[in-house]
Amino acid sequence: MSRVWDIPVQDSTRVRDVRVAAEAACDRAGLDAHATAVAALVATELGTNLVKHAGGGRVVINLTAPADTLAADVPCVQIVSLDHGPGIDNVAAAMRDGHTTASSSLGAGLGTCRRVSSEFDLHSRPGRGTVAVARITPARSPGGPRPREVRSRTGTRAGGITTSLAHAEHSGDAFSRVRSGRRLTLMLVDGLGHGDKAAEASTAAVEELRRSADLPPTEMLRRLHAALRATRGAAVGVAQLDEEAGRLSFAGVGNIGARLRTDGEWQPLVSHPGIVGAHFPATVPLRESAWTPDSLLVLHSDGLPSRWVPPADPRLGTHDPAVVAAVVLRDAGSAARPLRDDASVAVLAPDPRTDPHDRTP
Ligand SMILES: [Mn+2]
């Protein structure tokens, strides 16, 4: 189930709620006491920053996976803070451990968040606000290195954010990614309606996707259709990257939005009308595109208006994919025009930390 903790933070009394939510998320993810303490610290810092520096904002906590698409099934709690505040003038200085601003007595702040989190990234623009993403994973995964020390050898990262209508506990939206060799698939699913019944459909899709990782997108959708027959159905978008060929193929049924940036230009990838699990179209078109080092793929549910404007920041793609997703989600709505449904955004992007020569031959 897409369990979501979505906490509006307008004053300091909500900071405790953010911390309690982070601890509950860690408990749900099965994280150890150390990771839970880290999550509580990060949640408190980010919540406090919203009150002190941003004039309020929102913290969204999801259970997800590390951005590294080779790190499968590592339990992971993601804490995202979003605000429309004044932004941070000097991000590099603010991220230094122990940095403090005149108006802050807490001091440690963002530098600490970055140091203690498994993955941390922040996007801030003066006048537009700040998005910070922290992911907490177990200190040591069984038999392996710390997840933060794993560098993607294939050079592709995936991530996103899921929210729910009216801060409900479950979102009917979900995203997931699976890998089968060179074939990396990102799926975004929107269960019909919202709430628990919608979440049942999206959960069934996530489970079936795991079993179908080696199939092409249109075949995957057919399998999902069979798997979702017992549910109320869903809209599903599936993007599959062939890392070796540098090709991205996309197929979608129902109202899933998709935009691909290639060579600085955004183009829509269109889904076909229908409902996976209920009314499957006779043919599902497959759209193929080139995937280049500056490519950026955004999938989103209809909780976002279809006419959202992609962020103009050309360096956005160098950010953590969940940061990109959260910026898109934040800027698609506003206080005057709140989103009217469960809403989710998932992003696929080349990993700028990867030296192309290091990529798996
Ligand atoms: Mn929807």
Side-chain angles (χ1 to χ4, degrees):
M1 285 273 194
S2 249
R3 179 70 169 87
V4 173
W5 294 262
D6 187 345
I7 304 126
V9 181
Q10 301 309 332
D11 59 67
S12 57
T13 62
R14 300 312 299 272
V15 176
R16 179 185 170 278
D17 298 343
V18 173
R19 175 176 58 76
V20 169
E23 289 166 347
C26 289
D27 186 50
R28 180 72 75 103
L31 293 186
D32 54 79
H34 175 75
T36 303
V38 167
L41 171 65
V42 170
T44 303
E45 293 289 346
L46 294 180
T48 304
N49 277 345
L50 288 178
V51 177
K52 284 197 172 176
H53 303 301
R58 167 187 194 188
V59 172
V60 176
I61 302 176
N62 292 142
L63 309 181
T64 179
D68 188 319
T69 52
L70 286 173
D73 297 328
V74 176
C76 182
V77 167
Q78 175 175 283
I79 305 170
V80 182
S81 76
L82 311 93
D83 70 65
H84 286 286
I88 300 169
D89 283 338
N90 188 338
V91 171
M95 296 271 274
R96 267 201 293 280
D97 225 346
H99 174 81
T100 179
T101 57
S103 56
S104 164
S105 57
L106 209 70
L110 294 173
T112 301
C113 289
R114 181 169 66 170
R115 181 166 50 77
V116 300
S117 302
S118 306
E119 297 175 296
F120 183 83
D121 193 23
L122 177 141
H123 180 268
S124 189
R125 299 198 83 185
R128 295 301 299 273
T130 302
V131 162
V133 170
R135 276 187 295 273
I136 319 293
T137 54
R140 202 165 282 280
S141 55
R146 287 170 65 98
R148 66 185 300 172
E149 289 159 3
V150 177
R151 281 286 174 270
S152 168
R153 280 171 295 130
T154 61
T156 313
R157 291 195 289 182
I161 184 168
T162 307
T163 65
S164 54
L165 179 67
H167 314 292
E169 286 197 352
H170 291 112
S171 175
D173 288 2
F175 65 89
S176 184
R177 92 294 170 110
V178 289
R179 177 181 281 285
S180 175
R182 293 279 184 178
R183 206 176 263 190
L184 174 63
T185 304
L186 180 68
M187 175 187 75
L188 192 126
V189 51
D190 175 356
L192 237 61
H194 52 84
D196 289 2
K197 288 281 179 195
E200 247 174 58
S202 56
T203 302
V206 169
E207 284 167 5
E208 181 58 33
L209 184 76
R210 285 214 188 106
R211 294 187 282 269
S212 308
D214 55 339
L215 299 176
T218 45
E219 205 46 47
M220 266 181 186
L221 286 169
R222 258 177 254 285
R223 290 278 186 98
L224 290 167
H225 176 59
L228 266 62
R229 273 185 204 280
T231 75
R232 56 161 73 167
V236 184
V238 171
Q240 191 169 78
L241 175 63
D242 182 331
E243 292 174 319
E244 196 167 70
R247 302 290 296 172
L248 183 86
S249 34
F250 175 82
V253 171
N255 204 353
I256 298 293
R259 306 265 189 103
L260 175 65
R261 190 184 72 181
T262 319
D263 298 328
E265 297 286 329
W266 288 93
Q267 51 179 320
L269 308 177
V270 180
S271 291
H272 203 71
I275 301 168
V276 175
H279 304 291
F280 200 79
T283 55
V284 181
L286 186 73
R287 166 79 175 265
E288 292 212 48
S289 314
W291 183 258
T292 59
D294 86 318
S295 288
L296 190 59
L297 174 75
V298 177
L299 304 181
H300 65 87
S301 69
D302 64 357
L304 271 71
S306 58
R307 293 190 162 275
W308 65 277
V309 179
D313 188 349
R315 288 186 47 76
L316 196 68
T318 63
H319 281 281
D320 184 284
V323 166
V324 179
V327 168
V328 167
L329 181 91
R330 180 196 63 185
D331 293 348
S334 69
R337 209 163 33 89
L339 303 175
R340 292 214 192 115
D341 193 359
D342 297 333
S344 56
V345 183
V347 168
L348 192 70
D351 189 342
R353 302 170 305 180
T354 311
D355 181 337
H357 301 292
D358 286 349
R359 289 181 191 179
T360 318

